[in-house]
Amino acid sequence: MAVYCNSAPFSCKASRNRDPTPLSALLPTRLFSLLQPPISFHPDRLKLSTCRWDKVASAVVSEESAVGSSSSGTDVFNLTYLEGNSWLWDISGVRVLVDPILVGNLDFGIPWLYDAAKKFLKNFELTDLPQLDCLLITQSLDDHCHLKTLKPLSKMSPNLRVIATPNAKPLLDPLFRNVTYLEPGQESEVEAANGSKVRIQATAAPVLGPPWQRPENVYLVISPQGQLTLYYEPHCVYNKDFLEKEHADIVITPVIKQLLPNFTLVSGQEDAVQLAKLLHAKFIVPMKNGDLDSKGFLASIVEGEGTIESFKELLLKELPDAKTLEPTPGEPLQIPPP
């Protein structure tokens, strides 16, 4: 299924048999799209930690463990889900903040139409973050490039390394001094204080506007030793031609569809299965980016289709060796490498 819009943060009822029509007929241009827990990846065993969310800095990463992982020659992904489309990743000591919505609600500047708050991390503050090596922005709309969060973050860390879609340039240039804009097919390297380096490669994602606009970004993140690759795109929208030669051990994607009348906002289910199959994924982390406390007219008309369980059943038929790792806000999952 082709989807050409950004994600929408809703959890609603099931719906079937939707045929996409142009979203521009339904929403203002700015709203071509609306809209869990720390995860550590090594590829051969799974360990569920019992720690609860207190502070991101203490619950997710410690300087000692990050340096130890890197110096041992073993690549480790620690992924902390911050709800919505937001993540904190620690890749062998390289700390990357992704699409953060950490200050205020998500409302696209039109709160009467849509207004969403997090369910679990209600007391989170920017000061809870550890020292960051990079800010990663996938798309230019508010559910990814959230100015209520980015403005105070830029005051705290104006020299923070930023990697982003070129579509976000008008928003990011006034805030940060060290921004790299990646077009599809380009890549950049991020280095941490401990010497660990990761490569971040962009591929094409949805077009959120007129057909002549450049696409947004999908990211492949390659660990320091090249032992693990992570794929991230928060709408289950992808260009098969761009990904045919790619491989990802870990795929983060929505699996529950989010639908407006006659239009798919966020895909999932069979499309998520085909994505995992295309990338030969070993682990799929299903995002719940629609699981927010939302209100407003748009929140009332968006419906969800499918469940994580129905996704697992589809995945078992197509990719029986892959594992689904369902994140829980505030609790890390760990998968050690080969």
Side-chain angles (χ1 to χ4, degrees):
M1 177 182 298
V3 182
Y4 299 97
C5 71
N6 208 348
S7 65
F10 308 111
S11 293
C12 305
K13 303 175 183 177
S15 175
R16 297 183 181 274
N17 300 324
R18 306 278 180 154
D19 295 322
T21 59
L23 186 56
S24 57
L26 301 172
L27 301 177
T29 299
R30 177 146 177 84
L31 283 177
F32 273 150
S33 129
L34 306 174
L35 270 232
Q36 274 170 355
I39 303 175
S40 287
F41 286 101
H42 291 261
D44 69 348
R45 77 177 182 274
L46 171 65
K47 176 182 178 183
L48 177 61
S49 168
T50 58
C51 85
R52 296 297 304 171
W53 186 283
D54 248 339
K55 298 267 187 180
V56 170
S58 60
V60 182
V61 290
S62 69
E63 197 68 37
E64 293 78 14
S65 64
V67 173
S69 299
S70 178
S71 61
S72 69
T74 299
D75 288 340
V76 180
F77 274 79
N78 294 282
L79 312 177
T80 305
Y81 191 41
L82 303 179
E83 296 188 77
N85 295 316
S86 306
W87 295 83
L88 174 65
W89 300 341
D90 183 311
I91 309 118
S92 296
V94 182
R95 290 166 178 166
V96 181
L97 182 64
V98 184
D99 289 349
I101 301 176
L102 304 176
V103 178
N105 285 5
L106 172 65
D107 60 20
F108 299 89
I110 317 174
W112 63 267
L113 186 62
Y114 180 78
D115 189 2
K118 295 186 176 183
K119 288 186 175 181
F120 303 104
L121 307 181
K122 296 179 181 295
N123 298 319
F124 185 88
E125 297 178 359
L126 285 174
T127 52
D128 294 330
L129 290 169
Q131 183 175 346
L132 299 171
D133 299 298
C134 182
L135 169 67
L136 184 65
I137 300 295
T138 61
Q139 305 195 4
S140 56
L141 292 182
D142 207 35
D143 53 338
H144 305 273
C145 193
H146 189 243
L147 291 181
K148 291 179 186 177
T149 297
L150 298 182
K151 287 179 178 179
L153 179 62
S154 69
K155 291 179 180 179
M156 293 170 55
S157 304
N159 295 314
L160 177 63
R161 175 77 187 282
V162 182
I163 294 177
T165 167
N167 294 339
K169 184 176 176 64
L171 301 173
L172 296 175
D173 274 359
L175 301 178
F176 296 96
R177 301 170 185 167
N178 184 15
V179 186
T180 301
Y181 297 104
L182 294 183
E183 297 279 4
Q186 296 180 334
E187 66 176 53
S188 188
E189 190 174 73
V190 178
E191 182 174 3
N194 69 355
S196 290
K197 298 178 182 179
V198 300
R199 288 189 296 120
I200 298 177
Q201 175 184 332
T203 68
V207 174
L208 305 180
W212 56 84
Q213 181 173 309
R214 65 163 60 91
E216 301 288 356
N217 281 352
V218 171
Y219 292 108
L220 290 164
V221 182
I222 299 95
S223 63
Q225 308 295 326
Q227 296 171 344
L228 291 167
T229 297
L230 177 145
Y231 171 97
Y232 179 68
E233 198 285 318
H235 315 101
C236 194
V237 179
Y238 49 92
N239 185 321
K240 183 177 179 180
D241 293 336
F242 275 63
L243 297 179
E244 280 182 338
K245 297 181 180 179
E246 302 294 348
H247 167 85
D249 304 283
I250 306 155
V251 171
I252 301 177
T253 183
V255 301
I256 299 172
K257 295 182 180 182
Q258 298 173 48
L259 308 169
L260 281 171
N262 300 314
F263 188 84
T264 301
L265 287 170
V266 176
S267 194
Q269 296 294 290
E270 67 279 358
D271 293 319
V273 171
Q274 292 306 311
L275 172 63
K277 189 175 180 180
L278 181 65
L279 292 169
H280 307 284
K282 297 181 179 71
F283 305 100
I284 296 89
V285 181
M287 292 178 63
K288 293 183 178 180
N289 49 0
D291 191 18
L292 299 170
D293 287 328
S294 59
K295 59 185 178 180
F297 174 70
L298 285 177
S300 70
I301 64 172
V302 175
E303 298 181 347
E305 182 178 292
T307 64
I308 291 179
E309 289 306 315
S310 62
F311 164 77
K312 289 179 180 178
E313 292 175 4
L314 292 170
L315 183 68
L316 183 62
K317 296 176 182 177
E318 296 286 341
L319 206 61
D321 294 333
K323 296 180 180 179
T324 302
L325 306 177
E326 185 177 352
T328 304
E331 296 185 3
L333 294 168
Q334 298 183 347
I335 309 174

